[in-house]
Amino acid sequence: MKKILYNLSTLLLSTLFVLYVMRAFLGEFISRLIPYANVIFGYSLFVCLVLIFNTMVNMILYYAKNKKIYISKFGFGVFSLSYIVLLVSVLFSRNSLGNNYTSNYVPFKTIFGYIFGKADFIYIFSNIVGNIIIFIPLGCIVYYYFYRKIKVSICIFILILFVILIEYLQKKYIVGSFDIDDILLNSLGVYLGIKILVGAGDKKSKNYFEKW
């Protein structure tokens, strides 16, 4: 009973904190960062942020008491599910613009266009940094669930193929364009996500995972 009350109290604290931050600071920023964001995106982002903050609180409290890092499998599983919903809503929630989308097959053409085209900073951040950051959790999630079964190099290769598939589906269903630069940025994101969990080496990472 005590543990249940503890978990509920930390979850409530996380919910109230994220609700305040989103209402006070993130509303306008998100609307500029992702102008096509819809209701599903808003709710999924809220859930993701709550779970991330709740996990951080529990990690800090557990570490302060036991001097060890611990993340529950259930908490990571719920976060994984909410992240997938968030990712799908970001990638496929845009309205169809017919033939207004243009494809790019030249590496770095779009990236250099953002940087040297004197675009608004928030637009550059959304299309360059945002395309990296949003795929970092995907690398973490896939590696966490499959590190016992496949090598790191195979995991990276599969995720890059998945990123290419996403670009193809966006073009096919006219909710985006096929851009080689998006593939490069997204692939960098999943690579960083995997490297975050790999840490100093596979053996150390696997021993760490066993404690979760």
Side-chain angles (χ1 to χ4, degrees):
M1 185 65 180
K2 184 178 181 181
K3 185 177 181 180
I4 294 176
L5 291 176
Y6 167 81
N7 291 333
L8 289 176
S9 62
T10 56
L11 182 61
L12 178 61
L13 173 65
S14 303
T15 302
L16 293 176
F17 176 78
V18 172
L19 181 63
Y20 170 75
V21 171
M22 288 189 69
R23 289 176 63 89
F25 304 105
L26 296 183
E28 182 179 354
F29 177 76
I30 293 174
S31 65
R32 294 184 62 196
L33 186 65
I34 307 178
Y36 54 84
N38 56 16
V39 175
I40 296 177
F41 169 81
Y43 282 119
S44 55
L45 176 62
F46 174 74
V47 172
C48 274
L49 291 178
V50 168
L51 293 172
I52 291 173
F53 185 74
N54 185 66
T55 299
M56 292 175 60
V57 170
N58 286 324
M59 286 178 61
I60 293 171
L61 294 177
Y62 187 89
Y63 183 82
K65 182 178 180 180
N66 302 285
K67 302 304 178 183
K68 295 180 181 179
I69 296 176
Y70 173 79
I71 303 175
S72 70
K73 291 182 179 180
F74 175 78
F76 193 83
V78 174
F79 165 74
S80 300
L81 180 61
S82 63
Y83 166 77
I84 295 301
V85 174
L86 174 66
L87 185 64
V88 171
S89 66
V90 169
L91 296 175
F92 298 102
S93 63
R94 282 174 282 191
N95 294 326
S96 172
L97 295 179
N99 295 321
N100 291 337
Y101 288 117
T102 57
S103 299
N104 170 46
Y105 301 97
V106 180
F108 304 108
K109 178 181 178 181
T110 302
I111 295 175
F112 289 153
Y114 292 142
I115 296 176
F116 299 111
K118 297 181 180 180
D120 184 57
F121 171 78
I122 196 67
Y123 188 75
I124 297 175
F125 182 89
S126 173
N127 287 278
I128 297 180
V129 180
N131 268 319
I132 298 174
I133 292 177
I134 196 171
F135 275 83
I136 290 177
L138 182 62
C140 294
I141 291 169
V142 172
Y143 184 72
Y144 172 76
Y145 286 113
F146 295 101
Y147 76 93
R148 295 183 183 90
K149 302 176 182 179
I150 57 178
K151 297 180 179 180
V152 174
S153 57
I154 300 299
C155 186
I156 293 173
F157 178 72
I158 292 174
L159 283 172
I160 291 176
L161 290 180
F162 180 72
V163 168
I164 295 173
L165 175 63
I166 289 175
E167 286 294 303
Y168 168 75
L169 291 176
Q170 285 184 315
K171 179 177 176 61
K172 179 178 177 61
Y173 293 103
I174 320 179
V175 290
S177 61
F178 187 95
D179 194 328
I180 187 66
D181 285 353
D182 283 348
I183 294 176
L184 295 175
L185 295 172
N186 297 161
S187 298
L188 176 59
V190 296
Y191 173 78
L192 292 176
I194 291 173
K195 296 301 290 185
I196 287 172
L197 292 194
V198 169
D202 290 344
K203 185 176 180 180
K204 180 178 179 180
S205 298
K206 292 177 181 178
N207 290 335
Y208 173 69
F209 288 156
E210 296 299 333
K211 299 177 182 178
W212 288 19

